[in-house]
Amino acid sequence: MAVCRNSGKMKHYFTFFTGLVECLCFAGAMFGWASLVFVLKSEGYFSYLCFNTTDANATQVLDCSEQDEQFSVIFTISSFMNNFLTLPNGFIFDRFGTTVARLVGIPLYTMGTLMFAFATPAMSDLLFAALPFLAVGGIMLLITNMQVGNLFGLRRSTIITLYNGAFDSSSALFLVIKILHESGISLQASFLFLSACSIIHLLRTFFLMPKKLIPYPLPDGYTYGVTCCKSKPLLDQMSQQTIESGNTEMSNEKTPNKDAPVNQERTLRQCLLSRLFLLHLLWLSVIQLRHLLFIGTLNPLLQRLTEGKHSLVSQYLNAFALTQLCGVLCAPWNGLIMDRHKGKPLAEGETEEQADLRASVLSLTLTSVQCVLFSISAATPYLPLQYLTFILQVINRSFLYGGNAAFISVAFPSIHFGKLYGMVLALSAVFALLQYPCFILVNDVLDGDPLYVNIALALLSLFAFIHPISVYLYCRKPAS
């Protein structure tokens, strides 16, 4: 029995490590789009949209604003699909379990990489499907890996935020492709290699992941995947029923409050209409819009600030992509903030779930402060300051997505996690569509100068503070 227990622990750590590599090297590649755009432009994708024009000094210049617009449209569509389709993905995950969800996501990811591999400048429109497929498949890898936090009790939020940080850092994948391209390795070879790596994802699915869901809290003798030891009667196929039956016993002890974060009996409808969810949606939507617009317009922004110097634009894009690697280092700090009360005595009359919610206030506040600082830095049209902007952006983004998943896991019933996670990302995706009108406003009305739009977004980011203030006031209310 001791051998089985030790073997189970080793398997938990191996699952955690391989999942971290999967998220770090593959899942969030879409957010490194600016680096790939640099390569695609040099290869001539959408180059037919560039034309010669005369500037104010009667000098002939090449106007590629319509080319930049096409790349912006591709990113807008992909970021929307990445978030909006998380809703049906979350339902698939909650209803059918891990294996089915991953067998949906992995083929989508592979189709995306294959489309990139076989796209050519003459078939530039293929990119409109390639990046969305890559994005949707990647977010499914993240969703199925976040449940690994349930294997590590006291560090659950830390693991969830760490995976989200790895997801952010994987945007550096396109930087690696950019560097390889500059070394003579073609885009086709790079993306064919990524396609072949899907075999690794399939092996993890069948050998290191549960068929259904990993329950929380973790029952004694719980096993998953391929194991050489006999398990206790509780198999992972029954984890969903176990959670629900445990929740029913809890609900008999006290009358549920409509907004109570600890009540496992709440329906999905009650969760969606609660103040906690609606303000969390506002918080995520505002901050996410600032980040998506920054990433989607980074290439033309640098073109403007560097006055079109090709080598300087490449230098700043490399710096931006390298800072993205730090997301995996920044995100766990947010998890540690949310887990800082674990193992300490609870206040009188306070449950562990209520303590988890109270601990999230500091995380939400810090994320909001970071967003304001990032917005101010991004709005300042001074080229060297963009290094600081890159740093603030990666810190804030790692706090944002890790904090989003961790907050949903502590504020709402675990049986609804996939659906609520998908719902909040889907609804925020609709709000994020504003990035395209903003780009058109900058490009067509403001003559490429994003200053006023950036100032407006900096002011809009102040609305993010409503959520942590509301959660703080909510936690101060006497328990029902």
Side-chain angles (χ1 to χ4, degrees), residues 52-69:
N52 290 317
T53 186
T54 305
D55 63 10
N57 298 322
T59 304
Q60 287 285 331
V61 295
L62 187 64
D63 187 348
C64 291
S65 57
E66 292 187 20
Q67 182 190 34
D68 290 331
E69 184 176 332

Side-chain angles (χ1 to χ4, degrees), residues 168-246:
D168 293 340
S169 294
S170 66
S171 59
L173 175 63
F174 283 165
L175 169 64
V176 175
I177 292 177
K178 175 178 176 289
I179 294 173
L180 292 175
H181 182 266
E182 292 170 348
S183 302
I185 298 177
S186 67
L187 284 176
Q188 185 180 47
S190 296
F191 280 105
L192 285 176
F193 175 78
L194 291 178
S195 301
C197 288
S198 295
I199 297 173
I200 300 174
H201 307 321
L202 289 172
L203 291 176
R204 283 199 73 245
T205 300
F206 295 111
F207 290 95
L208 289 175
M209 297 296 285
K211 183 178 179 182
K212 293 295 184 179
L213 305 176
I214 300 176
Y216 181 80
L218 199 67
D220 292 335
Y222 173 76
T223 60
Y224 61 93
V226 176
T227 179
C228 59
C229 298
K230 291 184 178 181
S231 64
K232 292 186 177 181
L234 180 62
L235 300 174
D236 81 13
Q237 292 97 321
M238 301 296 293
S239 60
Q240 187 74 16
Q241 291 88 332
T242 302
I243 296 172
E244 292 173 354
S245 63

Side-chain angles (χ1 to χ4, degrees), residues 176-464:
V176 175
I177 292 177
K178 175 178 176 289
I179 294 173
L180 292 175
H181 182 266
E182 292 170 348
S183 302
I185 298 177
S186 67
L187 284 176
Q188 185 180 47
S190 296
F191 280 105
L192 285 176
F193 175 78
L194 291 178
S195 301
C197 288
S198 295
I199 297 173
I200 300 174
H201 307 321
L202 289 172
L203 291 176
R204 283 199 73 245
T205 300
F206 295 111
F207 290 95
L208 289 175
M209 297 296 285
K211 183 178 179 182
K212 293 295 184 179
L213 305 176
I214 300 176
Y216 181 80
L218 199 67
D220 292 335
Y222 173 76
T223 60
Y224 61 93
V226 176
T227 179
C228 59
C229 298
K230 291 184 178 181
S231 64
K232 292 186 177 181
L234 180 62
L235 300 174
D236 81 13
Q237 292 97 321
M238 301 296 293
S239 60
Q240 187 74 16
Q241 291 88 332
T242 302
I243 296 172
E244 292 173 354
S245 63
N247 295 339
T248 303
E249 293 175 6
M250 291 174 59
S251 66
N252 292 332
E253 298 178 6
K254 56 183 179 181
T255 303
N257 182 22
K258 180 180 179 181
D259 278 341
V262 301
N263 188 356
Q264 298 285 78
E265 271 290 290
R266 279 180 299 163
T267 64
L268 179 62
R269 173 184 169 84
Q270 288 174 320
C271 293
L272 292 174
L273 296 179
S274 68
R275 187 182 72 195
L276 288 177
F277 181 83
L278 294 176
L279 290 181
H280 184 68
L281 173 62
L282 173 67
W283 175 83
L284 177 66
S285 299
V286 167
I287 301 177
Q288 181 176 252
L289 176 62
R290 171 66 273 189
H291 284 272
L292 292 179
L293 187 62
F294 178 77
I295 296 172
T297 60
L298 180 58
N299 207 284
L301 172 66
L302 293 177
Q303 289 279 355
R304 182 181 182 84
L305 293 179
T306 61
E307 298 180 348
K309 296 179 181 177
H310 190 270
S311 60
L312 202 52
V313 171
S314 178
Q315 175 186 324
Y316 273 84
L317 285 175
N318 289 350
F320 172 72
L322 286 172
T323 57
Q324 301 305 298
L325 286 171
C326 299
V328 70
L329 302 177
C330 302
W333 291 102
N334 195 16
L336 291 172
I337 289 171
M338 297 191 70
D339 284 337
R340 68 187 187 280
H341 65 289
K342 298 287 189 181
K344 297 179 181 179
L346 299 175
E348 185 177 354
E350 184 180 50
T351 66
E352 183 177 350
E353 290 82 1
Q354 289 170 329
D356 288 341
L357 189 61
R358 177 170 49 82
S360 70
V361 174
L362 178 59
S363 168
L364 297 171
T365 303
L366 286 176
T367 306
S368 302
V369 171
Q370 293 163 3
C371 180
V372 173
L373 295 176
F374 160 59
S375 298
I376 293 173
S377 181
T380 306
Y382 180 59
L383 183 61
L385 187 64
Q386 298 314 306
Y387 287 120
L388 175 62
T389 304
F390 297 161
I391 294 171
L392 292 172
Q393 189 270 343
V394 71
I395 294 174
N396 187 224
R397 188 160 164 263
S398 62
F399 267 63
L400 173 66
Y401 289 109
N404 168 52
F407 180 82
I408 291 174
S409 72
V410 302
F412 302 103
S414 59
I415 57 173
H416 298 316
F417 175 79
K419 295 183 284 289
L420 291 173
Y421 183 78
M423 184 67 74
V424 75
L425 287 180
L427 294 176
S428 67
V430 177
F431 188 81
L433 289 175
L434 289 173
Q435 63 182 297
Y436 185 65
C438 288
F439 181 82
I440 296 299
L441 178 64
V442 171
N443 202 41
D444 295 346
V445 179
L446 301 177
D447 194 28
D449 187 357
L451 178 62
Y452 294 110
V453 171
N454 283 333
I455 292 174
L457 289 173
L459 295 174
L460 182 65
S461 65
L462 295 174
F463 281 93

Side-chain angles (χ1 to χ4, degrees), residues 15-36:
T15 299
F16 161 70
F17 176 75
T18 54
L20 188 64
V21 172
E22 187 173 73
C23 290
L24 181 62
C25 297
F26 302 97
M30 182 197 79
F31 294 100
W33 180 239
S35 295
L36 190 62

